[in-house]
Amino acid sequence: MGKPAESSSTSWSALFGFGCFSSSHADRSGDGPGKVASAGSRPPAPPAPLLSPDDLSLSLAGSDVLAFTVEELRVATRDFSMSNFVGEGGFGPVYKGRVDERVRPGLRQPQAVAVKLLDLEGSQGHKEWLAEVIFLGQLRHPHLVKLIGYCYQDEHRLLVYEFMARGSLEKHLFKRHSASLPWSTRMRIAIGAAKGLAFLHDAAKPVIYRDFKTSNILLDSDYTAKLSDFGLAKAGPGEDETHVSTRVMGTQGYAAPEYIMTASASCSWSC
Ligand SMILES: Nc1ncnc2c1ncn2[C@@H]1O[C@H](COP(=O)(O)OP(=O)(O)OP(=O)(O)O)[C@@H](O)[C@H]1O
Ligand SMILES: [Mg+2]
């Protein structure tokens, strides 16, 4: 396995910067279908200034994540053509695309991508988008899906990932017409997903993933499992802490009972 990487020692909160990560967007994802969020008694946080596109690209300096324009992603996905549509979740629709010379002249390595478009009317928002960009932009591991880039232009928020040819594990397990996966492949997928989680928990700056479920385990052409969707992820406990207190977030039926009951997350009980 390649060497797992975290690209800097800066704390997660510093990377999120400008207070935008604890902004009033903070609890929106709890409203989405199937998502859970505790009622909580905390007063709403005052609105914080949004990180500007320039500040974000500064935060990501040193990573290889690309900033795209909406126009470039239109070219990559043939204007978000329905023939490129691969599915839709709580964040918004996802399209297959290709990032090559037509999109970005001079780009050396053309590649297939999945472009996820924030549904402006949907249950998730800027906060989830930013969490995804900051976490996946900084973390590299063979069992985490690679974030190729993002688009932060006016109200538009898009994410560009490596394309995972075999889609989600959920599809393979639960779709009627999918051929059943051999047990050896299932074991390899389970071990791969566990390695992805272990990497997050053992990192110098630990990350609590909070949305571990089969639809977020993606499979590449040889069934290598990679974790996706870091919109609900949270910076884990610091060196002297055993847990972090948090609103309960995740998907109904998947969050650990101890976490739902106590609203405190540790790396061992809140995947
Ligand atoms: N990198 C990718 N490569 C290929 N397909 C992808 C990729 N990312 C997402 N998809 C597909 O796009 C669809 C929507 O995925 P998305 O992650 O937005 O929602 P979800 O995981 O189904 O639901 P939720 O909002 O609860 O996470 C799924 O079919 C998923 O397999
Ligand atoms: Mg998902």
Side-chain angles (χ1 to χ4, degrees):
M1 189 183 296
K3 189 178 177 296
E6 275 183 278
S7 53
S8 85
S9 57
T10 320
S11 73
W12 286 121
S13 53
L15 285 168
F16 283 105
F18 301 91
C20 61
F21 196 52
S22 55
S23 76
S24 54
H25 299 281
D27 300 329
R28 290 186 57 190
S29 56
D31 303 334
K35 299 286 185 194
V36 290
S38 68
S41 54
R42 269 183 261 159
L50 282 187
L51 191 71
S52 72
D54 285 348
D55 295 332
L56 180 58
S57 76
L58 268 181
S59 290
L60 292 170
S63 75
D64 54 358
V65 177
L66 301 170
F68 290 99
T69 63
V70 176
E71 205 38 53
E72 287 173 325
L73 296 180
R74 277 192 202 290
V75 174
T77 58
R78 299 196 292 163
D79 205 8
F80 303 105
S81 153
M82 274 320 283
S83 59
N84 287 35
F85 178 80
V86 289
E88 180 156 12
F91 189 87
V94 180
Y95 299 85
K96 185 173 182 184
R98 188 170 171 79
V99 170
D100 56 19
E101 279 270 345
R102 289 171 314 127
V103 173
R104 185 63 70 89
L107 198 82
R108 268 195 241 130
Q109 280 180 323
Q111 82 174 103
V113 293
V115 179
K116 201 183 264 195
L117 187 69
L118 176 66
D119 173 3
L120 300 172
E121 308 290 310
S123 59
Q124 298 187 30
H126 177 82
K127 189 224 165 202
E128 290 79 13
W129 172 84
L130 184 63
E132 188 97 7
V133 174
I134 297 280
F135 284 121
L136 271 185
Q138 295 286 317
L139 298 166
R140 288 283 181 262
H141 187 269
H143 294 289
L144 300 188
V145 71
K146 183 174 182 203
L147 184 74
I148 308 289
Y150 64 88
C151 169
Y152 184 7
Q153 185 183 334
D154 306 322
E155 75 281 20
H156 304 288
R157 303 287 185 276
L158 295 93
L159 298 157
V160 183
Y161 307 91
E162 64 176 313
F163 188 76
M164 299 291 286
R166 296 197 187 269
S168 72
L169 173 60
E170 180 184 49
K171 188 182 80 183
H172 290 269
L173 294 181
F174 303 121
K175 286 274 156 64
R176 268 219 198 127
H177 302 296
S178 303
S180 162
L181 289 173
W183 280 106
S184 56
T185 308
R186 291 172 189 239
M187 288 304 294
R188 213 162 66 75
I189 292 171
I191 291 168
K195 283 183 178 167
L197 273 186
F199 166 69
L200 296 176
H201 295 172
D202 293 344
K205 296 176 281 173
V207 173
I208 301 180
Y209 178 48
R210 299 206 297 180
D211 213 7
F212 191 62
K213 58 180 181 176
T214 54
S215 75
N216 286 342
I217 298 173
L218 300 181
L219 305 172
D220 74 6
S221 51
D222 72 351
Y223 290 96
T224 298
K226 303 195 184 190
L227 303 183
S228 71
D229 281 6
F230 281 67
L232 299 187
K234 190 172 167 62
E239 260 179 34
D240 305 327
E241 299 164 327
T242 55
H243 66 276
V244 288
S245 294
T246 157
R247 271 176 69 95
V248 176
M249 305 294 276
T251 300
Q252 207 110 41
Y254 289 90
E258 306 91 312
Y259 169 53
I260 292 180
M261 284 178 329
T262 62
S264 56
S266 81
C267 288
S268 57
W269 78 46
S270 179
C271 303

PDB file of all heavy atoms in Angstrom, residues 89 116 211 213 215-218 228-229, ligand 2:
ATOM      1  N   GLY A  89     -27.698  12.140  -4.458  1.00  0.00           N
ATOM      2  CA  GLY A  89     -27.865  11.930  -3.017  1.00  0.00           C
ATOM      3  C   GLY A  89     -28.343  13.216  -2.376  1.00  0.00           C
ATOM      4  O   GLY A  89     -28.883  14.100  -3.055  1.00  0.00           O
ATOM      5  N   LYS A 116     -19.946  16.435  -8.683  1.00  0.00           N
ATOM      6  CA  LYS A 116     -21.109  16.510  -7.791  1.00  0.00           C
ATOM      7  C   LYS A 116     -21.490  17.980  -7.655  1.00  0.00           C
ATOM      8  O   LYS A 116     -20.661  18.822  -7.341  1.00  0.00           O
ATOM      9  CB  LYS A 116     -20.712  15.928  -6.435  1.00  0.00           C
ATOM     10  CG  LYS A 116     -21.866  15.486  -5.590  1.00  0.00           C
ATOM     11  CD  LYS A 116     -21.401  14.982  -4.238  1.00  0.00           C
ATOM     12  CE  LYS A 116     -21.235  13.493  -4.170  1.00  0.00           C
ATOM     13  NZ  LYS A 116     -21.137  12.994  -2.785  1.00  0.00           N
ATOM     14  N   ASP A 211     -20.279   9.230   8.666  1.00  0.00           N
ATOM     15  CA  ASP A 211     -21.297   8.845   7.682  1.00  0.00           C
ATOM     16  C   ASP A 211     -20.907   7.535   6.994  1.00  0.00           C
ATOM     17  O   ASP A 211     -20.954   7.419   5.775  1.00  0.00           O
ATOM     18  CB  ASP A 211     -21.507   9.967   6.659  1.00  0.00           C
ATOM     19  CG  ASP A 211     -22.956  10.019   6.168  1.00  0.00           C
ATOM     20  OD1 ASP A 211     -23.800   9.281   6.731  1.00  0.00           O
ATOM     21  OD2 ASP A 211     -23.243  10.788   5.235  1.00  0.00           O
ATOM     22  N   LYS A 213     -21.400   4.192   5.653  1.00  0.00           N
ATOM     23  CA  LYS A 213     -22.528   3.388   5.156  1.00  0.00           C
ATOM     24  C   LYS A 213     -22.208   2.937   3.739  1.00  0.00           C
ATOM     25  O   LYS A 213     -21.322   3.508   3.075  1.00  0.00           O
ATOM     26  CB  LYS A 213     -23.817   4.195   5.196  1.00  0.00           C
ATOM     27  CG  LYS A 213     -23.756   5.486   4.378  1.00  0.00           C
ATOM     28  CD  LYS A 213     -25.062   6.247   4.442  1.00  0.00           C
ATOM     29  CE  LYS A 213     -24.980   7.515   3.610  1.00  0.00           C
ATOM     30  NZ  LYS A 213     -26.236   8.257   3.561  1.00  0.00           N
ATOM     31  N   SER A 215     -23.531   3.282   0.870  1.00  0.00           N
ATOM     32  CA  SER A 215     -23.597   4.171  -0.299  1.00  0.00           C
ATOM     33  C   SER A 215     -22.384   5.102  -0.353  1.00  0.00           C
ATOM     34  O   SER A 215     -22.116   5.719  -1.380  1.00  0.00           O
ATOM     35  CB  SER A 215     -24.899   4.978  -0.318  1.00  0.00           C
ATOM     36  OG  SER A 215     -24.847   6.002   0.642  1.00  0.00           O
ATOM     37  N   ASN A 216     -21.662   5.210   0.773  1.00  0.00           N
ATOM     38  CA  ASN A 216     -20.477   6.079   0.779  1.00  0.00           C
ATOM     39  C   ASN A 216     -19.180   5.283   0.619  1.00  0.00           C
ATOM     40  O   ASN A 216     -18.097   5.843   0.713  1.00  0.00           O
ATOM     41  CB  ASN A 216     -20.436   6.901   2.070  1.00  0.00           C
ATOM     42  CG  ASN A 216     -21.462   8.014   2.044  1.00  0.00           C
ATOM     43  OD1 ASN A 216     -21.958   8.365   0.962  1.00  0.00           O
ATOM     44  ND2 ASN A 216     -21.789   8.558   3.194  1.00  0.00           N
ATOM     45  N   ILE A 217     -19.297   3.983   0.394  1.00  0.00           N
ATOM     46  CA  ILE A 217     -18.108   3.177   0.081  1.00  0.00           C
ATOM     47  C   ILE A 217     -18.148   2.950  -1.431  1.00  0.00           C
ATOM     48  O   ILE A 217     -19.043   2.274  -1.945  1.00  0.00           O
ATOM     49  CB  ILE A 217     -18.122   1.845   0.847  1.00  0.00           C
ATOM     50  CG1 ILE A 217     -18.090   2.121   2.357  1.00  0.00           C
ATOM     51  CG2 ILE A 217     -16.950   0.953   0.421  1.00  0.00           C
ATOM     52  CD1 ILE A 217     -18.266   0.888   3.225  1.00  0.00           C
ATOM     53  N   LEU A 218     -17.220   3.578  -2.129  1.00  0.00           N
ATOM     54  CA  LEU A 218     -17.217   3.485  -3.599  1.00  0.00           C
ATOM     55  C   LEU A 218     -16.172   2.464  -4.037  1.00  0.00           C
ATOM     56  O   LEU A 218     -15.172   2.239  -3.346  1.00  0.00           O
ATOM     57  CB  LEU A 218     -16.919   4.853  -4.208  1.00  0.00           C
ATOM     58  CG  LEU A 218     -17.914   5.977  -3.857  1.00  0.00           C
ATOM     59  CD1 LEU A 218     -17.519   7.281  -4.555  1.00  0.00           C
ATOM     60  CD2 LEU A 218     -19.342   5.591  -4.218  1.00  0.00           C
ATOM     61  N   SER A 228     -16.048   7.875   0.641  1.00  0.00           N
ATOM     62  CA  SER A 228     -16.382   9.165   0.031  1.00  0.00           C
ATOM     63  C   SER A 228     -17.314   9.912   0.973  1.00  0.00           C
ATOM     64  O   SER A 228     -17.777   9.354   1.967  1.00  0.00           O
ATOM     65  CB  SER A 228     -17.088   8.937  -1.298  1.00  0.00           C
ATOM     66  OG  SER A 228     -18.384   8.429  -1.071  1.00  0.00           O
ATOM     67  N   ASP A 229     -17.594  11.158   0.643  1.00  0.00           N
ATOM     68  CA  ASP A 229     -18.568  11.981   1.386  1.00  0.00           C
ATOM     69  C   ASP A 229     -18.081  12.367   2.774  1.00  0.00           C
ATOM     70  O   ASP A 229     -18.391  11.738   3.782  1.00  0.00           O
ATOM     71  CB  ASP A 229     -19.917  11.269   1.520  1.00  0.00           C
ATOM     72  CG  ASP A 229     -20.717  11.376   0.243  1.00  0.00           C
ATOM     73  OD1 ASP A 229     -20.163  11.893  -0.741  1.00  0.00           O
ATOM     74  OD2 ASP A 229     -21.868  10.960   0.233  1.00  0.00           O
TER      75      ASP A 229
HETATM   76 MG    MG B   2     -22.536   9.370  -0.738  1.00  0.00          MG
END
